[in-house]
Amino acid sequence: MLRLGCAVRLQYGQRRWRRAVGVGQGAGSQALFVSHWPVASDAAVKLTTAMFRAQIANPGIGKAEAHRRAIAAVMTDRDNPMYAHPLFWAPFVVV
């Protein structure tokens, strides 16, 4: 899975962003994890890490289910209760 952030799209523009996606797919990536808008880096790290951990712990689940579980984990993070707000997890999608 290739992870692309909003910054890539904003920095390079639509044409180059599509080219970056093509490179990821050409490199054998079966899915993309992208954000629609910039988010706090630590929230992005927590979400991404939780998603990969969910897939490693449960190899039979799909990427979308791993993403759903990661969102639930981030939303209920006792150390960072503000992460329950959609601002921190809603921009991410699995494509």
Side-chain angles (χ1 to χ4, degrees):
M1 181 180 308
L2 179 66
R3 183 186 174 280
L4 293 176
C6 179
V8 172
R9 188 172 186 175
L10 292 175
Q11 180 180 0
Y12 295 113
Q14 189 72 16
R15 178 179 284 170
R16 289 187 182 166
W17 183 79
R18 287 185 181 163
R19 196 175 300 151
V21 169
V23 167
Q25 290 172 334
S29 178
Q30 296 177 359
L32 299 173
F33 187 57
V34 298
S35 66
H36 290 287
W37 61 78
V39 295
S41 291
D42 29 338
V45 168
K46 280 189 177 280
L47 186 66
T48 306
T49 304
M51 190 169 130
F52 286 119
R53 282 187 182 143
Q55 277 202 296
I56 290 168
N58 307 284
I61 66 171
K63 291 170 182 60
E65 176 61 17
H67 183 215
R68 187 196 67 76
R69 291 180 186 190
I71 289 171
V74 168
M75 288 176 65
T76 58
D77 184 351
R78 292 182 186 197
D79 294 332
N80 297 295
M82 67 184 172
Y83 289 169
H85 193 281
L87 175 70
F88 295 99
W89 49 263
F92 293 98
V93 293
V94 176
V95 182

